[in-house]
Amino acid sequence: RAGTVTLTATTTGKSFSNVNGTTFYNLVFDGVGGGWTMDSTVIVTMSGDLSILHGTVAATGLSSMTVVGNFLNNGTFTAPATGTSFSLRGNYTNNGTFNHNGGTVSFSKNSGVADSTISGSLTGTNAFYDVLFDNGPVNGSVTSETILNNMDILHNLYADGANGLYIVVNMPPLMTVGGCIINAGSLK
């Protein structure tokens, strides 16, 4: 399935619900002053990209959110809550405000895609709570996550991947982990 669904609004209070099990290709939120809430404990998948160009998106009511492509946030994004699934398989770029909501962001891989990049504002109020790096289904190859900016993880960093996972922090950026680093795979 291909195509882009663009939601535009210039006011808050918009609801994005009753889409349980729906797969979008590209999903774009674009409206200066717009505000959307994803609710109803639904499962939402983007087989392409998720882009928040303007406005505020709160994914607090989702039970699962998967972005197979890239994630771009130029607005304000509140991630799904603790105990829910938020998986990103492409590049992550945060040029706006990211609210971790106490949850885990999983960086997994697309089949055949070995590397991805994490960039933008990743510290202070834009920090992650828990992060899982999982090299996923990459046909037995070593994968890498390249972090281009300083990155704060307020709680734990989990590394999983039997085939090997490189976390590349190009100096001078720093990665600060407030809790534990848990290596369940082959962290290099």
Side-chain angles (χ1 to χ4, degrees):
R1 210 185 269 191
T4 299
V5 173
T6 302
L7 302 175
T8 58
T10 56
T11 59
T12 60
K14 304 301 178 189
S15 179
F16 186 78
S17 59
N18 298 321
V19 291
N20 194 23
T22 299
T23 299
F24 295 92
Y25 187 70
N26 294 318
L27 182 59
V28 176
F29 293 89
D30 188 10
V32 175
W36 299 267
T37 301
M38 298 173 132
D39 56 14
S40 299
T41 317
V42 298
I43 298 170
V44 176
T45 301
M46 276 64 65
S47 60
D49 300 335
L50 172 61
S51 301
I52 302 162
L53 302 179
H54 297 98
T56 300
V57 177
T60 54
L62 297 181
S63 62
S64 176
M65 178 181 226
T66 301
V67 180
V68 176
N70 299 315
F71 174 82
L72 169 65
N73 178 30
N74 290 334
T76 299
F77 178 74
T78 300
T82 302
T84 60
S85 171
F86 181 37
S87 177
L88 302 173
R89 297 184 184 165
N91 296 323
Y92 173 94
T93 304
N94 181 49
N95 298 318
T97 300
F98 175 83
N99 299 311
H100 61 71
N101 203 18
T104 299
V105 177
S106 299
F107 292 95
S108 299
K109 297 294 171 207
N110 287 320
S111 180
V113 176
D115 303 312
S116 61
T117 302
I118 301 167
S119 64
S121 180
L122 309 170
T123 61
T125 58
N126 294 308
F128 295 105
Y129 187 72
D130 282 328
V131 172
L132 166 65
F133 291 114
D134 178 4
N135 70 353
V138 191
N139 305 322
S141 64
V142 174
T143 62
S144 71
E145 297 285 349
T146 301
I147 299 164
L148 299 177
N149 303 88
N150 290 341
M151 178 176 175
D152 288 345
I153 301 169
L154 301 178
H155 197 233
N156 295 324
L157 167 65
Y158 302 90
D160 190 8
N163 299 318
L165 171 66
Y166 289 98
I167 299 176
V168 180
V169 181
N170 293 327
M171 300 315 270
L174 301 173
M175 178 189 285
T176 304
V177 179
C180 298
I181 297 175
I182 300 157
N183 182 15
S186 179
L187 180 63
K188 302 179 190 275

